[in-house]
Amino acid sequence: MHLKDVAALTRGFRRIAAALAVLSLASCLSGPFSGPSAGASASAAGLLQGIRAAHGLRPLAADRELENAALRQARYMAGAGTMNHTTGYGRDFASRMSNTETNGAAAENIARGRMSLDRLFEMWMNSEGHRRNMLDPRFSRFGLASAGEGSDRYWALVLGR
């Protein structure tokens, strides 16, 4: 595939992702936001597929179990008012994932702020560690959730095998 074709494909995926993000965010902004946007993982699937396809990787499937793990973390961060991979109970990511089926490999990206899914993934792709997580070829599933509202919205992306 030529670089020009990849750029055109990426622009197309961004347009679709932006439209999906607007639709999914619009559905959850009518009142105080305390859970994941309706179908947050499903809305992000196309965007993640575009990112991974541009790097020759297989797509990730939205996964309810990983979305629930992401939601628990997003809710914890929103309630604590802090962005951290470790909860107030001293549970780090590895211990939180011990009861989740990930076949030995998992990663977590977190963020804070009111933004579209397109902007969220753009920020993560511009961060070496977050980018490495999203492009890890071992992963086949993901869950995305957010909690809080406005600039105090907290995001968690959990990736697993």
Side-chain angles (χ1 to χ4, degrees), residues 73-74 77-78 80-83 111-113 145-148 151-156:
Q73 182 61 12
M77 292 186 301
T82 185
M83 194 170 72
R112 178 183 177 194
S146 65
S151 62
D152 287 329
R153 180 168 295 178
Y154 291 83
W155 299 87

Side-chain angles (χ1 to χ4, degrees), residues 72-93:
R72 284 189 300 274
Q73 182 61 12
R75 284 182 174 163
Y76 167 76
M77 292 186 301
T82 185
M83 194 170 72
N84 197 325
H85 290 284
T86 301
T87 67
Y89 305 110
R91 296 188 68 205
D92 63 9
F93 178 68

Side-chain angles (χ1 to χ4, degrees), residues 8-20 47 118 122 125:
L9 183 63
T10 301
R11 282 191 303 275
F13 279 121
R14 284 187 178 175
R15 285 187 194 114
I16 292 168
L20 289 172
L47 183 55
D118 190 48
E122 179 183 345
M125 284 299 288

Side-chain angles (χ1 to χ4, degrees), residues 40-62:
S41 294
S43 297
L47 183 55
L48 271 170
Q49 287 176 4
I51 290 168
R52 288 177 60 92
H55 293 87
L57 298 168
R58 68 178 182 216
L60 298 175

Side-chain angles (χ1 to χ4, degrees), residues 41 44 48 52 60-74 77 85 93-94 96-98 100-102 105-111 120-121 124 130 133-134 139-146 155-161:
S41 294
L48 271 170
R52 288 177 60 92
L60 298 175
D63 182 271
R64 178 61 69 185
E65 183 180 24
L66 296 182
E67 186 173 282
N68 286 337
L71 178 58
R72 284 189 300 274
Q73 182 61 12
M77 292 186 301
H85 290 284
F93 178 68
R96 286 188 286 114
M97 295 304 293
S98 64
T100 304
E101 182 59 47
T102 59
E108 177 179 71
N109 288 358
I110 58 176
L120 175 67
F121 283 96
W124 280 335
H130 296 105
N133 287 344
M134 292 190 305
F139 299 139
S140 61
R141 304 175 299 133
F142 80 97
L144 174 69
S146 65
W155 299 87
L157 171 70
V158 176
L159 303 141
R161 277 199 243 195

